[in-house]
């Protein structure tokens, strides 16, 4: 298996622009997670899905952030409008269930100018 | 609420030294416990895990024992190598009344040759 795929490793955008991050989980995994990592705040769980349904989005920082999972093999995290403080590394992870190992993608490093 | 507390870093050791990174948790029910490792520029990957009290997880010379009486899951290695330099995250997941996945803040480890 190819693992969790985050095909974009680096994304640079300007403040106010919309940015969409993409993730393909491991086939057969029912859970998908989005995390944000910064030096100041560490690793933060933003949202997770079970069978394509959002279960807990309490970590989403504000309404500018939204996530979707239209099918079992694809998820997006959108920031609109983006701000410089959104600059971070965004990780996607998937797992068979909540108490099993999470498999992380390589992350997308977002820079908002 | 549920939480994970791990020792703050950075931790700096010489090669072949003994390593302990402390991790304690609070949780209702019976969580699964994990140690993940993040090498520079990469996503997190599972190092070891334990799913019930007194279980010992081990991998690559690292060990951690699930201690319910002290609510701890300390990571140990008898002789560290330069290649062990990374950030280590303790985590728990529960699937009792409320599904939760919680990561500690991470401990950065530097091993000097």
């Amino acid at each position: 298996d190819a693992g969790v795929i985050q095909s974009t490793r680096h994304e640079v955008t300007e403040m106010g622009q919309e940015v969409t991050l993409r993730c393909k989980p491991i086939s057969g995994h029912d859970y998908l997670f989005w995390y944000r990592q910064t030096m100041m705040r560490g690793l933060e769980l933003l949202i997770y899905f079970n069978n394509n349904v959002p279960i807990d989005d309490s970590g989403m920082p504000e309404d500018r952030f939204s996530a979707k999972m239209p099918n079992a093999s694809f998820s997006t995290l959108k920031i609109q409008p983006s701000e410089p403080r959104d600059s971070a590394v965004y990780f996607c992870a998937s797992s068979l269930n909540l108490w099993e190992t999470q498999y992380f993608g390589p992350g997308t490093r977002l820079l908002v100018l | 609420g549920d939480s994970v507390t791990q020792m703050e870093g950075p931790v700096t050791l010489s090669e072949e030294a003994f390593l302990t990174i402390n991790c304690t948790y609070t949780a209702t029910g019976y969580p699964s416990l994990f140690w993940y490792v993040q090498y520079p520029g990469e996503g997190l990957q599972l190092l070891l895990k334990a799913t019930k009290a007194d279980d010992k997880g081990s991998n690559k010379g690292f060990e951690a024992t699930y201690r319910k009486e002290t609510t701890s899951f300390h990571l140990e290695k008898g002789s560290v190598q330069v290649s062990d330099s990374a950030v280590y995250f303790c985590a728990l997941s529960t699937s009792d009344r409320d599904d939760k996945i919680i990561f500690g803040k991470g401990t950065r480890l530097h091993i000097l040759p």
Side-chain angles (χ1 to χ4, degrees), chain A residues 7-72:
Chain A
S7 54
T8 302
R9 296 298 306 271
H10 298 274
E11 180 86 48
V12 181
T13 191
E14 293 186 345
M15 182 174 64
Q17 297 298 305
E18 175 183 301
V19 59
T20 299
L21 309 180
R22 296 172 173 81
C23 173
K24 176 178 170 57
I26 292 173
S27 177
H29 281 190
D30 290 337
Y31 282 79
L32 183 139
F33 307 82
W34 281 102
Y35 292 89
R36 178 173 70 176
Q37 187 177 39
T38 62
M39 289 294 292
M40 290 295 293
R41 302 172 73 97
L43 187 70
E44 302 172 276
L45 176 62
L46 300 178
I47 185 172
Y48 74 89
F49 296 81
N50 179 18
N51 290 319
N52 313 336
V53 176
I55 302 300
D56 184 355
D57 65 353
S58 60
M60 295 286 262
E62 48 198 277
D63 292 345
R64 297 185 296 106
F65 286 69
S66 62
K68 294 182 179 180
M69 193 164 185
N71 57 63

Side-chain angles (χ1 to χ4, degrees), chain A residues 35 37 98-102, chain B residues 36 38 46 49 99 103:
Chain A
Y35 292 89
Q37 187 177 39
L98 198 61
W99 54 91
E100 290 288 343
T101 303
Q102 290 190 30
Chain B
Y36 286 84
Q38 184 180 28
L46 179 73
K49 68 178 182 181
D99 288 347
F103 280 79

Side-chain angles (χ1 to χ4, degrees), chain B:
Chain B
D2 297 354
S3 66
V4 172
T5 302
Q6 59 182 108
M7 63 190 290
E8 292 190 18
V11 174
T12 302
L13 296 171
S14 297
E15 203 167 23
E16 299 183 2
F18 184 86
L19 168 71
T20 300
I21 300 178
N22 291 336
C23 173
T24 57
Y25 68 91
T26 58
T28 55
Y30 303 94
S32 293
L33 301 174
F34 305 83
W35 277 102
Y36 286 84
V37 59
Q38 184 180 28
Y39 298 104
E42 298 182 10
L44 282 69
Q45 56 186 272
L46 179 73
L47 182 59
L48 52 85
K49 68 178 182 181
T51 57
K52 61 182 187 295
D54 299 324
D55 270 2
K56 178 186 284 188
S58 62
N59 186 25
K60 299 181 181 180
F62 291 88
E63 293 183 339
T65 301
Y66 189 141
R67 303 281 189 201
K68 192 168 176 62
E69 63 276 13
T70 55
T71 63
S72 65
F73 193 55
H74 304 323
L75 182 68
E76 296 181 337
K77 186 174 184 181
S79 177
V80 292
Q81 306 300 313
V82 173
S83 57
D84 295 327
S85 298
V87 181
Y88 293 81
F89 292 87
C90 185
L92 69 80
S93 69
T94 66
S95 58
D96 295 326
R97 193 172 305 175
D98 296 312
D99 288 347
K100 287 187 189 299
I101 174 71
I102 300 172
F103 280 79
K105 294 185 181 298
T107 302
R108 185 174 297 275
L109 175 66
H110 294 291
I111 305 300
L112 304 175

Side-chain angles (χ1 to χ4, degrees), chain A residues 91-113:
Chain A
F91 290 102
C92 176
S94 70
S95 65
L96 286 170
N97 51 51
L98 198 61
W99 54 91
E100 290 288 343
T101 303
Q102 290 190 30
Y103 294 85
F104 282 73
T108 298
R109 183 175 295 275
L110 173 66
L111 178 61
V112 183
L113 302 174

